[in-house]
């Protein structure tokens, strides 16, 4: 496996909503701090997701020393601890909605990694059939790696050293209808990339693209850090 570079770090404070790009972060046993620690629930208490509510992509959570603030086009910002936050979400999404702690505790302990080579290989197939390529943000990765010459290198990367941290691969990332949502417009576009991925990335669990990793050794990582094989690669 050739060496590569970390070119993107993103965390998603509210599950299903827009992410926050970072230039550096401290990875812990819990993954990226504050990643997917909140969710937006429907009237039954079930988490909303972009496959059913694509407008979630337009909600931008911002964290600072005062806590979490939500922003969206055409709306005044609202703080997460404001009693009006639920009405704000309901009005924007057009259905009863509440901000709740994320019930998916496992999400915060996994890092979703995708390589640029993997995306480029997909887009070559998509454009060959006359469709428009898709951007990396359709896959909502935590970490983006560039420099591997072989697509899907992340599939076989048992261990990776990044900055001061060591990562261990845990499983494939199985894709869903979220990848059909344009993250800039909050609209479901489709059928790409799922149509093309189904041609060559089917597994027993579904259509796979990218991989999940856990943090084996905590440490600081920065955009520009080398990404090199660990001892088991």
């Amino acid at each position: 496996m050739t060496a590569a570079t970390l070119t993107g770090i993103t965390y998603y404070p509210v599950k299903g909503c827009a992410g926050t790009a970072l230039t550096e972060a401290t990875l812990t046993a819990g993954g990226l701090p504050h990643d997917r620690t909140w969710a937006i629930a429907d009237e039954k208490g079930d988490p909303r997701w972009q496959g059913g509510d694509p407008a979630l992509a337009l909600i931008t959570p911002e964290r600072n020393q005062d806590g979490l603030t939500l922003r969206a086009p055409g709306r005044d910002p609202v703080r997460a601890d404001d009693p009006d936050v639920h009405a704000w979400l309901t009005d924007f999404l057009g259905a009863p909605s509440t901000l709740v702690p994320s019930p998916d505790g496992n999400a915060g302990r996994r890092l979703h990694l995708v390589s640029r080579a993997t995306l480029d290989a997909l887009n070559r197939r998509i454009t060959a059939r006359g469709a428009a390529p898709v951007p990396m943000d359709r896959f909502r990765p935590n970490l983006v790696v560039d420099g591997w010459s072989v697509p899907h290198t992340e599939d076989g990367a048992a261990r990776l050293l990044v900055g001061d941290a060591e990562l261990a691969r845990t499983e494939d990332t199985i894709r869903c209808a979220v990848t059909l949502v344009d993250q800039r417009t909050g609209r479901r576009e489709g059928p790409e990339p799922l149509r093309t991925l189904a041609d060559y990335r089917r597994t027993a669990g579904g259509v796979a693209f990218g991989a999940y990793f856990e943090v084996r050794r905590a440490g600081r990582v920065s955009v520009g850090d080398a990404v090199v094989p660990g001892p088991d690669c």
Side-chain angles (χ1 to χ4, degrees), residues 9-109:
I9 306 170
T10 304
Y11 78 102
Y12 302 84
V14 181
K15 188 175 177 67
C17 295
T20 299
L22 303 171
T23 57
E24 59 182 5
T26 298
L27 303 183
T28 70
L32 266 171
H34 310 298
D35 187 45
R36 297 173 171 90
T37 54
W38 294 93
I40 296 172
D42 63 18
E43 62 274 22
K44 297 178 181 178
D46 296 326
R48 294 193 178 278
W49 66 302
Q50 281 192 23
D53 294 280
L56 287 172
L58 300 179
I59 298 175
T60 302
E62 296 181 0
R63 287 195 59 87
N64 56 38
Q65 63 271 20
D66 296 323
L68 182 69
T69 297
L70 304 182
R71 301 180 184 276
R75 300 291 193 280
D76 291 332
V78 64
R79 287 172 52 94
D81 58 2
D82 191 305
D84 295 331
V85 67
H86 308 308
W88 187 96
L89 289 167
T90 296
D91 181 59
F92 183 73
L93 295 173
S97 302
T98 55
L99 185 67
V100 298
S102 176
D104 188 2
N106 187 47
R109 295 196 293 273

Side-chain angles (χ1 to χ4, degrees), residues 136-195:
M136 182 66 81
D137 64 9
R138 287 286 189 97
F139 301 96
R140 299 171 59 81
N142 295 118
L143 304 177
V144 176
V145 176
D146 197 5
W148 285 330
S149 59
V150 179
H152 305 289
T153 294
E154 56 267 42
D155 291 357
R159 298 287 181 93
L160 292 173
L161 304 178
V162 187
D164 298 326
E166 181 177 349
L167 311 179
R169 187 183 184 283
T170 58
E171 60 186 302
D172 294 336
T173 305
I174 302 303
R175 312 317 312 204
C176 65
V178 172
T179 60
L180 306 179
V181 177
D182 186 320
Q183 298 298 300
R184 291 165 177 78
T185 65
R187 296 192 183 97
R188 182 165 170 158
E189 300 293 340
E192 300 297 354
L194 289 183
R195 177 179 64 174

